[in-house]
Amino acid sequence: MPTIGVDKAELFKALGQEYTTEQFEELCFEFGIELDEDTSNSERPTVNGKQEAPQLKIEIPANRYDMLCFEGIALMLNIFRGRSPLPNYRLVTPTNGKLEKLTIHKSTLDVRPYCSAAILRNITFTKESYESFIALQDKLHQNLARQRTLVAIGTHDLDTIEGPFTYEALPPKDINFVPLNQTKKMNGEELMEFYENDKHLGKYLHIIRDKPLYPVILSSDRTVCSLPPIINGNHSKISVNTKNVFIELTATDKTKLEIVNNILVAMFSQYCAEPFTIEPVQIVSEHNAESRQTPNISPRLAEAEVDYINNCCGLSESPESICELLTKMCYSAKPSSKDQNIVDVTIPPNRADVLHQCDIMEDVAIAYGFNNLPRSTPNKSATIAKPLAINKLGDIVRMEAAMAGWSEVMPLILCSHDENFGWLNRQDDGETAVKLANPKTLEYQVVRTTLLPGLLKTIRENKKHSIPIKVFEVSDVAFKDLSLERKSRNEKHFAAAWYGKASGFEVVHGLLDRVLLMLKTAFLTHEEGLEGKKLDFEIKEDPAKPDGYWIEEINEPTFFPGHGAAIYMRLNGKALRVGEFGILHPTVLDKFELRYPVSTLEMNLEAFL
């Protein structure tokens, strides 16, 4: 969870009350945040001969992005304590009645396609509130904006630039401006070289560096306001004396874009001459039908069931009482006129974390007080979950293998490409394995399509132990499947490996028979209807033939010639290949650095469902 440092004296002044550390810690707990540290009694750094003021370091829940600044913490705690009314956020048009316009060009589609904006008029910053304004942008960039990859914020002194503004994508050499806090004019390519080793900005260059066009915000006279997501221009730099702030945001994620815009203006519009007023900007984006006014601070409407809230919290509160509790958490709520069991809730624009009535229920519990909730024995709330059928089947097979004297192992699901294919003498057709786009090491390149590499690596790392070594695993493998929305699918497999001086083929075969006997799958012989032909992996149906399984010799490079077999099964008349077992080829053993024979078994458990 993010930790926010705030000035202790300033926060207590904003709250209108002095607290001891214990009292403030209790207040934080009641609201659902946590006091991490009070630096009053700690050594604090000295800057310019002056010691830093005592700080309160507060841990904020990961979903409460509106509390990533001093203003958000103070506002929410004051509303919680009933000291401040709910803010009334309003959009106001400028005195001339003409909104500023920002036009998005089609060229931005392949770089950062979305843009939003807002204006804070007649704002008054202090040194502290200005620093908080900058810090909130950094916190949003690091958290919600995912290191500026999803959203990038630019703030400008509107008195130094004029609209209408444009958002375009231009070749790097055509973008010339003086970056923030610099004196030399640079083009896009020079800027990339200049900031390549910069500790703060260097980590963002990769986002657009290899693009043929760079995104840029331009004023009416083609002055560069910013090069998102890297840096703003020095020409429109804001300061503590800035009175009118133009906020522009570019993004690859439209939802996150509007959330960040709403949080930023909601927290700092309180410093405007008319508190909580925001001037909207007209966004013109005809090429993708995204023309609109931003920000959209209209409160969202939601419904919550009174019975649901009471049952979850163990309460018996009336709709009116629940509405009062929700007011403490910055909601506006009233009993529904249509249903006595419904509460109509108005969600403010800064509460993007509220997605479901369970979020509303949680805030009711916070407002009521966690310590005040009725205590009950676990049998009132405990439930017994029902396992998925495939997981239950896996547990059954796991138990049977363990009782047969085999040891379970749990290797990693990622492995190298060679381990999954080349070391097993298998070919990669490019359509089977899910590959990592940017693997950190050669050991983790693909999601395994077989359990064998993990078993063999486990044996390799434990080959100093006494032999024979008998290990098994029941876990998932993954395959590409372009027919699915996620383009991949999981399969639950069972695999076992025997390592010893003898081949162990008959032992692995015995384990197969035992597991399938336990699964009530009978062994079929030729006399029972087998024709001896290969079925491969194709599913064939013949209701006239009995259900069961059989094995047939295969000649695959993974196994020693003449010592490998495929496992076939017929269930409800449908026959398919479900796995294979055999003695591994010496070249496979050599790749995994094993000096004794290894027999393995692997089959797909999902066929038994």
Side-chain angles (χ1 to χ4, degrees):
M1 294 191 295
T3 300
I4 309 301
V6 297
D7 187 290
K8 181 177 180 179
E10 289 296 323
L11 181 60
F12 288 173
K13 180 180 177 181
L15 297 177
Q17 183 178 338
E18 292 290 328
Y19 291 90
T20 65
T21 300
E22 292 73 19
Q23 289 173 336
F24 187 72
E25 189 173 19
E26 180 65 23
L27 175 62
C28 289
F29 175 80
E30 290 176 357
F31 189 72
I33 57 180
E34 182 178 351
L35 177 62
D36 189 51
E37 183 183 0
D38 182 351
T39 65
S40 300
N41 299 320
S42 306
E43 290 189 12
R44 302 187 299 277
T46 300
V47 180
N48 297 327
K50 185 178 180 181
Q51 191 177 41
E52 181 187 69
Q55 298 273 308
L56 294 173
K57 296 185 178 180
I58 304 171
E59 278 194 10
I60 305 299
N63 61 319
R64 290 303 301 267
Y65 297 108
D66 59 315
M67 296 182 66
L68 292 178
C69 60
F70 171 93
E71 289 71 17
I73 295 171
L75 179 63
M76 293 302 119
L77 289 179
N78 274 329
I79 294 173
F80 180 71
R81 295 161 58 240
R83 189 171 178 270
S84 296
L86 300 180
N88 179 26
Y89 298 105
R90 295 182 297 119
L91 293 179
V92 294
T93 55
T95 52
N96 61 9
K98 185 179 179 181
L99 296 179
E100 288 288 0
K101 184 183 294 185
L102 192 156
T103 302
I104 303 175
H105 286 208
K106 188 176 181 180
S107 57
T108 62
L109 277 177
D110 295 329
V111 192
R112 297 176 75 82
Y114 303 110
C115 189
S116 184
I119 295 173
L120 297 178
R121 290 276 185 188
N122 300 316
I123 194 169
T124 302
F125 283 123
T126 62
K127 178 178 178 294
E128 292 74 20
S129 61
Y130 173 77
E131 291 176 352
S132 180
F133 185 56
I134 302 301
L136 176 60
Q137 295 176 54
D138 287 338
K139 288 290 184 182
L140 290 172
H141 278 151
Q142 300 306 316
N143 293 277
L144 187 59
R146 296 291 185 269
Q147 302 283 349
R148 303 192 188 184
T149 56
L150 300 183
V151 184
I153 308 167
T155 53
H156 311 276
D157 188 337
L158 189 57
D159 295 329
T160 64
I161 49 179
E162 291 184 0
F165 301 93
T166 57
Y167 174 43
E168 307 176 20
L170 301 174
K173 290 185 178 180
D174 294 347
I175 302 173
N176 292 278
F177 70 108
V178 179
L180 187 66
N181 296 327
Q182 300 296 324
T183 56
K184 178 185 175 182
K185 181 177 285 191
M186 309 177 193
N187 64 31
E189 291 182 350
E190 293 170 339
L191 183 140
M192 289 294 170
E193 294 178 2
F194 182 79
Y195 286 108
E196 186 171 12
N197 297 317
D198 188 275
K199 182 173 65 174
H200 178 59
L201 295 176
K203 57 188 175 183
Y204 305 124
L205 300 184
H206 70 93
I207 301 174
I208 62 169
R209 186 168 198 165
D210 296 329
K211 304 285 186 181
L213 303 177
Y214 288 178
V216 61
I217 301 286
L218 301 169
S219 65
S220 60
D221 60 357
R222 306 292 290 178
T223 298
V224 174
C225 299
S226 70
L227 178 71
I230 310 302
I231 196 166
N232 294 341
N234 196 63
H235 178 80
S236 56
K237 174 183 177 180
I238 68 169
S239 68
V240 70
N241 299 315
T242 297
K243 288 299 179 183
N244 300 297
V245 178
F246 173 63
I247 304 170
E248 45 84 6
L249 306 94
T250 60
T252 57
D253 186 311
K254 183 184 175 184
T255 301
K256 297 290 193 301
L257 172 73
E258 304 302 348
I259 290 174
V260 171
N261 197 1
N262 286 349
I263 289 174
L264 201 58
V265 298
M267 291 302 100
F268 285 89
S269 58
Q270 59 183 285
Y271 294 123
C272 293
E274 293 184 57
F276 304 113
T277 58
I278 303 108
E279 181 180 318
V281 174
Q282 182 66 42
I283 304 295
V284 179
S285 184
E286 296 177 350
H287 61 277
N288 59 357
E290 290 292 341
S291 298
R292 64 202 187 282
Q293 274 190 19
T294 63
N296 178 11
I297 59 170
S298 302
R300 292 181 291 130
L301 302 179
E303 293 182 345
E305 298 174 359
V306 174
D307 289 346
Y308 171 79
I309 293 173
N310 282 329
N311 289 338
C312 290
C313 299
L315 302 175
S316 57
E317 296 294 309
S318 65
E320 292 78 9
S321 177
I322 290 174
C323 292
E324 291 179 10
L325 292 172
L326 287 173
T327 301
K328 296 175 64 176
M329 302 304 294
C330 204
Y331 297 93
S332 177
K334 62 181 180 179
S336 174
S337 58
K338 299 178 182 178
D339 189 338
Q340 293 182 348
N341 191 44
I342 296 294
V343 172
D344 293 328
V345 182
T346 301
I347 304 170
N350 58 303
R351 290 299 304 275
D353 59 298
V354 181
L355 304 175
H356 187 271
Q357 67 171 344
C358 66
D359 300 308
I360 298 172
M361 176 274 296
E362 179 187 6
D363 281 342
V364 169
I366 293 173
Y368 189 86
F370 285 132
N371 287 333
N372 299 326
L373 294 175
R375 298 176 182 270
S376 60
T377 56
N379 64 0
K380 182 174 181 179
S381 58
T383 59
I384 300 175
K386 182 179 179 181
L388 295 174
I390 186 62
N391 290 337
K392 186 174 182 179
L393 175 61
D395 288 341
I396 293 172
V397 173
R398 185 179 287 114
M399 182 66 70
E400 196 63 34
M403 289 193 296
W406 295 69
S407 300
E408 184 179 13
V409 297
M410 291 191 294
L412 299 175
I413 197 169
L414 298 180
C415 64
S416 74
H417 183 273
D418 285 342
E419 290 169 352
N420 195 74
F421 292 104
W423 289 13
L424 295 175
N425 294 335
R426 295 177 179 176
Q427 298 294 322
D428 179 15
D429 60 5
E431 301 296 328
T432 303
V434 177
K435 300 178 182 178
L436 276 66
N438 186 27
K440 295 298 183 184
T441 70
L442 293 177
E443 291 182 289
Y444 309 120
Q445 294 175 310
V446 299
V447 183
R448 61 186 178 181
T449 60
T450 170
L451 300 181
L452 296 187
L455 293 178
L456 297 177
K457 287 194 292 183
T458 301
I459 295 174
R460 181 187 66 194
E461 300 303 322
N462 293 275
K463 59 186 178 183
K464 292 183 180 180
H465 287 244
S466 59
I467 55 176
I469 295 175
K470 301 188 296 181
V471 293
F472 77 93
E473 182 183 8
V474 179
S475 191
D476 282 4
V477 296
F479 298 95
K480 281 185 181 178
D481 191 340
L482 300 182
S483 65
L484 301 177
E485 182 181 6
R486 61 182 181 275
K487 307 304 181 187
S488 66
R489 60 181 169 85
N490 284 17
E491 276 186 8
K492 183 79 75 175
H493 279 204
F494 165 64
W498 164 285
Y499 173 75
K501 292 184 178 180
S503 69
F505 182 83
E506 70 284 358
V507 182
V508 170
H509 193 173
L511 177 64
L512 168 66
D513 290 342
R514 176 58 191 167
V515 169
L516 292 178
L517 177 64
M518 176 271 304
L519 293 176
K520 297 182 179 180
T521 305
F523 182 73
L524 300 180
T525 66
H526 285 283
E527 290 77 16
E528 294 172 305
L530 291 183
E531 299 176 4
K533 62 183 180 180
K534 295 284 188 287
L535 288 175
D536 200 28
F537 287 97
E538 183 181 358
I539 297 177
K540 296 185 178 180
E541 189 167 353
D542 189 347
K545 295 183 178 180
D547 289 348
Y549 77 98
W550 67 98
I551 60 176
E552 294 187 13
E553 181 182 341
I554 56 174
N555 186 22
E556 294 184 357
T558 301
F559 301 107
F560 198 81
H563 292 77
I567 309 164
Y568 294 97
M569 185 181 72
R570 187 185 297 116
L571 188 64
N572 297 326
K574 294 182 180 179
L576 71 157
R577 176 172 166 176
V578 295
E580 58 281 325
F581 70 102
I583 303 173
L584 294 182
H585 197 280
T587 58
V588 175
L589 301 181
D590 184 58
K591 294 288 177 55
F592 285 96
E593 302 174 15
L594 302 174
R595 57 178 180 169
Y596 293 133
V598 177
S599 291
T600 63
L601 155 70
E602 182 169 13
M603 62 181 182
N604 178 11
L605 293 180
E606 299 196 8
F608 295 88
L609 292 178

